[in-house]
Amino acid sequence: MSAPDLAALNHDNIVAYIGDIFERRGNEEYLGEPVTIAAHMLQGATFAEHRGQSEAIIVAALLHDIGHFTSEFGSFTMDDTEDRFHEEAGARILGAFFPEAIVDCVKYHVAAKRYLCASRPAYFDQLSAASVHSLKLQGGPMSADEVAEFEANPNHSLIVEVRLLDDEGKLPDMETPDFWHFAPMVQAQVDATRV
Ligand code: FE
């Protein structure tokens, strides 16, 4: 499939389309980490599934970095293909098809890192070198006002759970199922938003 306009995607083809992106583009490097982007997202989803976390969490972990592939979604500019604001690009794509809780987990996964750095002193110490580097570009730890605003989001604990899975999914050699293992639960989340 070549890049369609976002308008060509619907509740019946979005899961296959995302799966195709995983297959064609998933082997790309996850900047500065010893994993590919697909392995990174699959690891987070696999940890969540093994721990019995909710399907919303599993799916959010699986898709949280989909914004790195915005060139696959026709209505974006070249600037969007850069890492910058990949979380907002990802949320825009998923917003048309997924429940708000999942979209928020994607949209705020970078904010959650800034939140955790401000609210949990031990959190910063376990970040990867690449993640510490990007933290600076992302604005550093949140201020007290930003922390209060973040905690006012009704989905904030889900967002934090997905962020912790994001941080964990950076192992150089972890066996995971492929995207299609998770596809039925991704579809179930999409189906939940059908009107
Ligand atoms: Fe990530």
Side-chain angles (χ1 to χ4, degrees):
M1 276 189 268
S2 59
D5 199 279
L6 202 51
L9 295 170
N10 58 48
H11 286 67
D12 295 315
N13 64 18
I14 184 67
V15 178
Y17 190 71
I18 292 172
D20 183 60
I21 294 173
F22 265 74
E23 290 193 342
R24 287 184 296 105
R25 304 275 313 271
N27 282 335
E28 290 176 19
E29 190 185 338
Y30 183 45
L31 212 60
E33 305 287 359
V35 285
T36 66
I37 298 191
H40 167 60
M41 297 198 282
L42 287 164
Q43 287 180 13
T46 300
F47 282 128
E49 184 176 42
H50 287 170
R51 291 173 193 151
Q53 288 177 274
S54 70
E55 292 201 352
I57 298 265
I58 296 168
V59 171
L62 180 69
L63 302 181
H64 78 273
D65 276 333
I66 198 73
H68 284 299
F69 301 121
T70 49
S71 61
E72 298 288 340
F73 296 88
S75 60
F76 292 86
T77 68
M78 284 304 289
D79 291 342
D80 293 325
T81 63
E82 290 175 31
D83 191 316
R84 233 172 131 231
F85 304 130
H86 72 279
E87 69 276 22
E88 284 175 25
R92 273 172 66 199
I93 294 159
L94 300 182
F97 310 106
F98 287 85
E100 188 172 24
I102 290 179
V103 176
D104 272 4
C105 287
V106 174
K107 188 173 186 178
Y108 298 115
H109 77 270
V110 172
K113 179 170 79 172
R114 298 184 55 232
Y115 168 75
L116 287 165
C117 284
S119 58
R120 295 190 195 175
Y123 175 79
F124 177 86
D125 297 334
Q126 51 83 52
L127 286 178
S128 66
S131 208
V132 169
H133 175 73
S134 59
L135 174 67
K136 286 182 201 138
L137 303 174
Q138 291 153 352
M142 282 185 171
S143 67
D145 283 353
E146 289 174 315
V147 165
E149 190 184 332
F150 183 83
E151 289 177 343
N153 184 322
N155 295 317
H156 88 267
S157 57
L158 292 185
I159 297 166
V160 166
E161 282 188 70
V162 170
R163 178 68 222 186
L164 296 174
L165 291 162
D166 181 2
D167 294 325
E168 277 187 277
K170 297 177 177 180
L171 304 177
D173 49 12
M174 174 181 171
E175 291 274 336
T176 72
D178 67 12
F179 175 85
W180 305 108
H181 166 79
F182 297 102
M185 62 178 92
V186 178
Q187 187 66 56
Q189 294 296 323
V190 169
D191 289 343
T193 69
R194 281 182 200 269
V195 282

